Amino acid sequence: MFQMSRGMALLRALICLSLLAAGPVAATSVVPKSLEELVPEAGEIVVATIDAVDVVDAEGRALHGERARTGPGLDNRMRFHLRVEEVIHPRGSPVPATLVVPLWSMWHYDLESMQDVLGRRGIFLLKAGTHEPVYPAHFQRPLDEREAIEAMLAEGGSEAGGGVHVHGE
């Protein structure tokens, strides 16, 4: 029978442990998508400012302190509260002046560390009606990508909204 040296057994154990530790990391990663892939999938593209961030549990109750976090195994959702300044592209119903955007629950977030996003202004690529991110990653884009986004919409036969479909202003 084959006997393994003590060093080889230790190496094998370390490899197994590293594979086990990598499991959660793989569960919270997504395949990157380019702007060219995201824009055609977006039902709503808006210029907005993040006015608030909160975390809610599965029943929609606000969470605070140490419990206000998200990630694998938790039913909590981090949400951005957006003030819509302009609609670049609507597909479907008009876009409200304020949106609550639920983030992907698999990301490891905690409410305290997300406070630095308050006041950030950008372009948000969202699903029509639900206002969810069009994709878990890279749905918030810098303002300097607006021209490229509008060019992609024009190529696809869509017209930019020009801010005329914001309700509640």
Side-chain angles (χ1 to χ4, degrees):
M1 191 170 253
F2 176 74
Q3 264 193 313
M4 198 179 318
S5 71
R6 188 174 268 180
M8 187 61 113
L10 180 59
L11 179 61
R12 192 174 193 179
L14 286 173
I15 290 170
C16 287
L17 283 174
S18 67
L19 290 173
L20 287 173
V25 173
T28 57
S29 63
V30 295
V31 176
K33 282 191 173 187
S34 68
L35 183 62
E36 292 78 10
E37 292 173 293
L38 295 172
V39 168
E41 296 176 10
E44 298 169 345
I45 302 175
V46 300
V47 176
T49 299
I50 302 172
D51 280 345
V53 179
D54 69 359
V55 177
V56 295
D57 65 15
E59 285 79 41
R61 295 179 299 232
L63 298 175
H64 304 282
E66 198 172 295
R67 291 184 28 219
R69 57 191 176 90
T70 62
L74 299 172
D75 288 331
N76 305 335
R77 293 293 294 256
M78 179 83 56
R79 304 181 309 179
F80 286 167
H81 295 257
L82 302 181
R83 179 176 20 93
V84 177
E85 299 162 19
E86 186 176 356
V87 177
I88 295 175
H89 180 73
R91 275 189 214 149
S93 61
V95 178
T98 58
L99 299 174
V100 178
V101 177
L103 305 182
W104 192 43
S105 62
M106 292 296 122
W107 292 130
H108 292 272
Y109 289 135
D110 67 81
L111 186 56
E112 185 177 327
S113 68
M114 290 297 286
Q115 296 307 303
D116 66 338
V117 303
L118 293 176
R120 280 198 193 158
R121 189 168 176 252
I123 298 172
F124 294 83
L125 309 175
L126 306 171
K127 295 178 183 177
T130 63
H131 317 300
E132 292 179 24
V134 70
Y135 193 67
H138 310 296
F139 73 95
Q140 181 183 358
R141 311 302 297 200
L143 292 169
D144 63 4
E145 289 185 350
R146 180 179 182 141
E147 191 174 308
I149 290 169
E150 288 179 336
M152 285 179 231
L153 290 170
E155 285 175 15
S158 301
E159 294 180 27
V164 295
H165 296 283
V166 177
H167 281 283
E169 288 187 324

